[in-house]
PDB file of all heavy atoms in Angstrom:
ATOM      1  N   ARG X  45    -104.956-258.796  49.721  1.00 52.00           N
ATOM      2  CA  ARG X  45    -104.870-257.605  48.900  1.00 52.00           C
ATOM      3  C   ARG X  45    -105.732-257.719  47.659  1.00 52.00           C
ATOM      4  O   ARG X  45    -106.730-258.402  47.647  1.00 52.00           O
ATOM      5  CB  ARG X  45    -103.414-257.324  48.597  1.00 52.00           C
ATOM      6  CG  ARG X  45    -102.639-256.920  49.862  1.00 52.00           C
ATOM      7  CD  ARG X  45    -101.168-256.996  49.624  1.00 52.00           C
ATOM      8  NE  ARG X  45    -100.843-256.225  48.417  1.00 52.00           N
ATOM      9  CZ  ARG X  45     -99.735-256.431  47.708  1.00 52.00           C
ATOM     10  NH1 ARG X  45     -98.903-257.371  48.051  1.00 52.00           N
ATOM     11  NH2 ARG X  45     -99.488-255.688  46.646  1.00 52.00           N
ATOM     12  N   SER X  46    -105.318-257.011  46.601  1.00 65.00           N
ATOM     13  CA  SER X  46    -106.194-256.877  45.436  1.00 65.00           C
ATOM     14  C   SER X  46    -106.603-258.240  44.894  1.00 65.00           C
ATOM     15  O   SER X  46    -105.880-259.217  44.997  1.00 65.00           O
ATOM     16  CB  SER X  46    -105.503-256.064  44.342  1.00 65.00           C
ATOM     17  OG  SER X  46    -104.369-256.760  43.887  1.00 65.00           O
ATOM     18  N   ILE X  47    -107.773-258.272  44.295  1.00 84.00           N
ATOM     19  CA  ILE X  47    -108.429-259.521  43.953  1.00 84.00           C
ATOM     20  C   ILE X  47    -107.845-260.149  42.698  1.00 84.00           C
ATOM     21  O   ILE X  47    -107.617-261.345  42.635  1.00 84.00           O
ATOM     22  CB  ILE X  47    -109.935-259.242  43.783  1.00 84.00           C
ATOM     23  CG1 ILE X  47    -110.506-258.878  45.173  1.00 84.00           C
ATOM     24  CG2 ILE X  47    -110.657-260.458  43.220  1.00 84.00           C
ATOM     25  CD1 ILE X  47    -111.830-258.178  45.110  1.00 84.00           C
ATOM     26  N   ASN X  48    -107.640-259.352  41.670  1.00 89.00           N
ATOM     27  CA  ASN X  48    -106.993-259.921  40.478  1.00 89.00           C
ATOM     28  C   ASN X  48    -105.815-259.079  40.020  1.00 89.00           C
ATOM     29  O   ASN X  48    -105.643-257.933  40.431  1.00 89.00           O
ATOM     30  CB  ASN X  48    -107.994-260.156  39.349  1.00 89.00           C
ATOM     31  CG  ASN X  48    -108.869-258.948  39.103  1.00 89.00           C
ATOM     32  OD1 ASN X  48    -108.493-257.838  39.444  1.00 89.00           O
ATOM     33  ND2 ASN X  48    -110.031-259.171  38.517  1.00 89.00           N
ATOM     34  N   LEU X  49    -104.990-259.692  39.204  1.00 95.00           N
ATOM     35  CA  LEU X  49    -103.715-259.124  38.814  1.00 95.00           C
ATOM     36  C   LEU X  49    -103.496-259.382  37.343  1.00 95.00           C
ATOM     37  O   LEU X  49    -104.070-260.319  36.778  1.00 95.00           O
ATOM     38  CB  LEU X  49    -102.601-259.869  39.551  1.00 95.00           C
ATOM     39  CG  LEU X  49    -102.509-259.698  41.054  1.00 95.00           C
ATOM     40  CD1 LEU X  49    -101.675-260.813  41.636  1.00 95.00           C
ATOM     41  CD2 LEU X  49    -101.881-258.357  41.376  1.00 95.00           C
ATOM     42  N   ALA X  50    -102.641-258.574  36.717  1.00 96.00           N
ATOM     43  CA  ALA X  50    -102.292-258.806  35.314  1.00 96.00           C
ATOM     44  C   ALA X  50    -100.978-259.578  35.251  1.00 96.00           C
ATOM     45  O   ALA X  50     -99.916-259.056  35.561  1.00 96.00           O
ATOM     46  CB  ALA X  50    -102.173-257.481  34.578  1.00 96.00           C
ATOM     47  N   LEU X  51    -101.109-260.847  34.882  1.00 98.00           N
ATOM     48  CA  LEU X  51     -99.926-261.700  34.742  1.00 98.00           C
ATOM     49  C   LEU X  51     -99.448-261.576  33.300  1.00 98.00           C
ATOM     50  O   LEU X  51    -100.221-261.794  32.367  1.00 98.00           O
ATOM     51  CB  LEU X  51    -100.326-263.150  35.053  1.00 98.00           C
ATOM     52  CG  LEU X  51     -99.291-264.250  34.833  1.00 98.00           C
ATOM     53  CD1 LEU X  51     -98.084-264.086  35.747  1.00 98.00           C
ATOM     54  CD2 LEU X  51     -99.940-265.624  35.051  1.00 98.00           C
ATOM     55  N   SER X  52     -98.183-261.221  33.098  1.00 97.00           N
ATOM     56  CA  SER X  52     -97.686-261.092  31.726  1.00 97.00           C
ATOM     57  C   SER X  52     -96.411-261.914  31.542  1.00 97.00           C
ATOM     58  O   SER X  52     -96.058-262.734  32.406  1.00 97.00           O
ATOM     59  CB  SER X  52     -97.536-259.630  31.336  1.00 97.00           C
ATOM     60  OG  SER X  52     -96.757-258.934  32.263  1.00 97.00           O
ATOM     61  N   ASN X  53     -95.734-261.681  30.431  1.00 97.00           N
ATOM     62  CA  ASN X  53     -94.711-262.630  29.998  1.00 97.00           C
ATOM     63  C   ASN X  53     -93.576-262.875  30.987  1.00 97.00           C
ATOM     64  O   ASN X  53     -93.096-264.002  31.110  1.00 97.00           O
ATOM     65  CB  ASN X  53     -94.138-262.195  28.653  1.00 97.00           C
ATOM     66  CG  ASN X  53     -95.182-262.287  27.565  1.00 97.00           C
ATOM     67  OD1 ASN X  53     -96.361-262.028  27.806  1.00 97.00           O
ATOM     68  ND2 ASN X  53     -94.771-262.664  26.355  1.00 97.00           N
ATOM     69  N   ARG X  54     -93.154-261.830  31.687  1.00 98.00           N
ATOM     70  CA  ARG X  54     -92.053-262.031  32.630  1.00 98.00           C
ATOM     71  C   ARG X  54     -92.463-262.997  33.739  1.00 98.00           C
ATOM     72  O   ARG X  54     -91.695-263.873  34.123  1.00 98.00           O
ATOM     73  CB  ARG X  54     -91.620-260.699  33.236  1.00 98.00           C
ATOM     74  CG  ARG X  54     -90.956-259.792  32.224  1.00 98.00           C
ATOM     75  CD  ARG X  54     -90.686-258.388  32.778  1.00 98.00           C
ATOM     76  NE  ARG X  54     -90.426-257.471  31.696  1.00 98.00           N
ATOM     77  CZ  ARG X  54     -89.210-257.156  31.234  1.00 98.00           C
ATOM     78  NH1 ARG X  54     -88.137-257.667  31.800  1.00 98.00           N
ATOM     79  NH2 ARG X  54     -89.060-256.338  30.225  1.00 98.00           N
ATOM     80  N   GLY X  55     -93.674-262.801  34.256  1.00 98.00           N
ATOM     81  CA  GLY X  55     -94.165-263.699  35.289  1.00 98.00           C
ATOM     82  C   GLY X  55     -94.369-265.098  34.747  1.00 98.00           C
ATOM     83  O   GLY X  55     -94.000-266.093  35.387  1.00 98.00           O
ATOM     84  N   LEU X  56     -94.945-265.176  33.554  1.00 98.00           N
ATOM     85  CA  LEU X  56     -95.214-266.487  32.953  1.00 98.00           C
ATOM     86  C   LEU X  56     -93.936-267.268  32.699  1.00 98.00           C
ATOM     87  O   LEU X  56     -93.906-268.489  32.850  1.00 98.00           O
ATOM     88  CB  LEU X  56     -95.977-266.305  31.630  1.00 98.00           C
ATOM     89  CG  LEU X  56     -97.488-266.161  31.783  1.00 98.00           C
ATOM     90  CD1 LEU X  56     -98.109-265.701  30.467  1.00 98.00           C
ATOM     91  CD2 LEU X  56     -98.120-267.480  32.250  1.00 98.00           C
ATOM     92  N   ARG X  57     -92.890-266.562  32.312  1.00 98.00           N
ATOM     93  CA  ARG X  57     -91.625-267.238  32.036  1.00 98.00           C
ATOM     94  C   ARG X  57     -91.112-267.968  33.279  1.00 98.00           C
ATOM     95  O   ARG X  57     -90.652-269.108  33.213  1.00 98.00           O
ATOM     96  CB  ARG X  57     -90.592-266.213  31.564  1.00 98.00           C
ATOM     97  CG  ARG X  57     -89.327-266.846  31.054  1.00 98.00           C
ATOM     98  CD  ARG X  57     -88.315-265.774  30.656  1.00 98.00           C
ATOM     99  NE  ARG X  57     -87.052-266.413  30.356  1.00 98.00           N
ATOM    100  CZ  ARG X  57     -86.682-266.791  29.133  1.00 98.00           C
ATOM    101  NH1 ARG X  57     -87.484-266.570  28.112  1.00 98.00           N
ATOM    102  NH2 ARG X  57     -85.522-267.389  28.936  1.00 98.00           N
ATOM    103  N   ALA X  58     -91.229-267.301  34.421  1.00 98.00           N
ATOM    104  CA  ALA X  58     -90.805-267.941  35.670  1.00 98.00           C
ATOM    105  C   ALA X  58     -91.720-269.124  35.994  1.00 98.00           C
ATOM    106  O   ALA X  58     -91.255-270.200  36.385  1.00 98.00           O
ATOM    107  CB  ALA X  58     -90.804-266.924  36.812  1.00 98.00           C
TER     108      ALA X  58
END
Side-chain angles (χ1 to χ4, degrees):
Chain X
R45 293 165 52 202
S46 64
I47 292 162
N48 48 23
L49 292 162
L51 174 64
S52 53
N53 294 36
R54 291 172 197 266
L56 276 168
R57 189 182 172 93

